[in-house]
Amino acid sequence: MVLSVFGTVFGFLTSFAPNLLKFWQDKRDKDHELKVMELQMQAQAQGHMERLEEINAEADIAESKALYQSAQVTLSGVSWVDATLTFLNSSVRPIITYSFFGVYTWVKAEQYAVANDISKVWTAEDMAIFCTIISFWFGSRSMRYYFGKKS
């Protein structure tokens, strides 16, 4: 009799086993689908970020091209005018540098004429200015040479 009751209860409980297994499998499937969807959303977000970076890079390139294009000299057909415009367009920074050195030399010469002592005229600040300008020009040349060889 105990065995019959046990068999009945066991049979009744085990009849729910397939439904429990289905429920458990369904829950795992849904969890898996959620994880897959999250990964897809992350991949899409990453793709959008990469596309945004690509758009920004393209905009930077377009801006650089526009700047270089606007700096081009429009030739007039008159050779001396074209030569003068090309020279002036390509020599803005050197002319500014030469002008600065000219004015700087003049000011220092006037200071020396007044003070008659080079140690009062040529200070550490003067050396810093001089070294900065010289290192800019020769450093710029060196970097252009170095990176030009690499590319």
Side-chain angles (χ1 to χ4, degrees):
M1 165 101 168
V2 173
L3 197 52
S4 313
V5 172
F6 179 72
T8 304
V9 171
F10 185 73
F12 180 75
L13 291 177
T14 55
S15 68
F16 289 110
N19 290 335
L20 289 175
L21 288 174
K22 281 182 187 177
F23 176 75
W24 181 70
Q25 184 64 35
D26 187 48
K27 183 175 180 339
R28 286 187 58 203
D29 287 346
K30 288 180 180 175
D31 287 344
H32 177 72
E33 286 179 26
L34 282 174
K35 287 181 183 178
V36 168
M37 288 175 68
E38 286 176 4
L39 289 174
Q40 287 175 342
M41 289 172 45
Q42 288 175 356
Q44 283 180 341
Q46 181 67 27
H48 290 304
M49 292 301 294
E50 290 172 358
R51 178 67 182 136
L52 184 61
E53 288 175 7
E54 182 181 336
I55 290 169
N56 286 335
E58 289 173 359
D60 290 343
I61 291 168
E63 180 184 16
S64 294
K65 284 181 181 179
L67 288 172
Y68 284 121
Q69 187 176 14
S70 68
Q72 295 294 324
V73 174
T74 305
L75 299 178
S76 65
V78 179
S79 61
W80 70 270
V81 171
D82 293 341
T84 304
L85 289 175
T86 302
F87 171 74
L88 290 175
N89 192 37
S90 65
S91 62
V92 171
R93 292 191 313 168
I95 288 174
I96 290 172
T97 303
Y98 295 145
S99 300
F100 174 78
F101 270 132
V103 169
Y104 193 74
T105 303
W106 177 71
V107 167
K108 288 300 171 182
E110 291 297 320
Q111 286 179 345
Y112 182 73
V114 171
N116 286 328
D117 185 5
I118 195 71
S119 64
K120 291 181 181 178
V121 175
W122 189 255
T123 63
E125 289 82 10
D126 296 314
M127 182 65 82
I129 291 170
F130 183 79
C131 289
T132 301
I133 292 171
I134 295 298
S135 65
F136 169 78
W137 280 109
F138 287 102
S140 172
R141 224 180 226 181
S142 299
M143 289 296 144
R144 202 171 335 137
Y145 175 78
Y146 177 76
F147 288 114
K149 292 287 184 181
K150 296 291 183 182
S151 53

